[in-house]
Amino acid sequence: MLRANPAHQFRIFVCSQKREPGAEGKLSTIAQRFGNASIQFVEFSLEPFRASLHADRTFTIAVYLRLFLTEFLDRSVEKVLYLDCDVVVRGDLQALWQTDLGEALVAAVPEPSIFHHAGFGPKNPYFNSGVMLIDVARWRSTNILPEFLRYARDNPRLEFVDQDILNRTLRGKFKPLDYRWNFFSIYPDLPASAFHMNTADFREVRRRPSIIHFVSIYKPWFYRWEPHYKKLYTEALAFTPWRDYRPPDRTVKAMVLKTIKIKRLKESLSWHAPGLARYLRQVLGIKT
């Protein structure tokens, strides 16, 4: 984010349930390196609310922290851009930040209607909470937190936990954003029609998304997965104190299996699409 937005100044808040001096020091180093951000670490415990918040092995209780931002953000903060930790920012964020929210409490990117969510559809879209422009002042003035907690308490087995809570509580109170502001790493495999876009527009968004979101289990920090845009994650990692990170699943066995998989893919391509295989070898300068 800081590398892609050198002309802008950021005030960053990192909230967790427990302070981690080691990690905080590394994050502070990043902010100092680029010189266009201040960073503040906030500790906020969810223990008093644990009875109302469902957690399991997939979703820890920490996912609910964003629901409490009116409680842990400074009162001077009236608007905030929330970002999940599994995103890579590529574009200038000014246009996103200047989005006119109007009467909406939040602006977010709707998920394609092929991702079925009961009670939601094309005329009443369901948004992804990984990137949200939030009117914090209106969240405070409307006292939205008790509504979040009430819905969580009454619906303890939600599939997407806090995201479902946000969508159900803020139904009709959110402004849709362009897909480029929260483009899933799995989206390139979907047809343009899934986004109600023509092929040319979808191709452009796919080529230059402003924010890439690595959803699902296919995270780029695992060796065995190769999600779209993994190279951009690796490039971003190189600018951090974690640049020497080694994936825990990068074992000799995993490397061998990955090599075999790539070999089989090449053989399949050569058999089923020999013309395309020859073209790729020419473009890449690979000798046969």
Side-chain angles (χ1 to χ4, degrees), residues 15 50 119 138 225:
C15 183
R50 181 173 285 276
R138 292 198 67 205
W225 304 131

Side-chain angles (χ1 to χ4, degrees), residues 74-236:
D74 190 287
R75 297 288 299 185
S76 65
V77 177
E78 297 187 347
K79 181 173 68 171
V80 68
L81 173 62
Y82 169 85
L83 298 174
D84 264 359
C85 62
D86 56 352
V87 305
V88 171
V89 177
R90 293 188 69 205
D92 190 305
L93 296 178
Q94 184 171 5
L96 173 58
W97 180 252
Q98 293 179 341
T99 298
D100 183 4
L101 287 169
E103 295 300 312
L105 295 182
V106 63
V109 177
E111 294 189 356
S113 55
I114 61 173
F115 293 3
H116 180 69
H117 296 279
F120 293 86
K123 295 183 179 180
N124 186 24
Y126 179 100
F127 65 86
N128 181 269
S129 60
V131 177
M132 296 186 291
L133 185 65
I134 300 170
D135 188 333
V136 182
R138 292 198 67 205
W139 276 31
R140 290 195 184 100
S141 65
T142 56
N143 196 26
I144 196 72
L145 179 58
E147 293 187 46
F148 291 154
L149 294 176
R150 188 179 307 112
Y151 193 85
R153 185 179 60 252
D154 295 343
N155 300 272
R157 289 292 183 269
L158 296 171
E159 184 177 4
F160 296 104
V161 289
D162 64 310
Q163 183 169 274
D164 285 344
I165 294 169
L166 285 162
N167 272 275
R168 296 291 179 176
T169 307
L170 301 177
R171 182 194 292 267
K173 301 174 184 177
F174 99 95
K175 181 172 184 175
L177 293 173
D178 190 277
Y179 280 104
R180 69 188 173 109
W181 296 119
N182 187 357
F183 197 77
F184 291 5
S185 56
I186 60 175
Y187 280 173
D189 296 324
L190 299 180
S193 58
F195 306 90
H196 303 288
M197 298 171 65
N198 61 53
T199 301
D201 289 342
F202 178 64
R203 186 183 296 119
E204 179 60 24
V205 175
R206 182 177 60 188
R207 187 172 69 88
R208 298 186 62 83
S210 296
I211 300 178
I212 298 158
H213 190 177
F214 294 98
V215 298
S216 75
I217 63 172
Y218 305 108
K219 303 301 184 186
W221 50 84
F222 289 114
Y223 175 76
R224 64 185 179 277
W225 304 131
E226 291 292 334
H228 294 291
Y229 310 109
K230 182 172 183 175
K231 180 180 178 182
L232 297 176
Y233 160 79
T234 305
E235 290 176 355

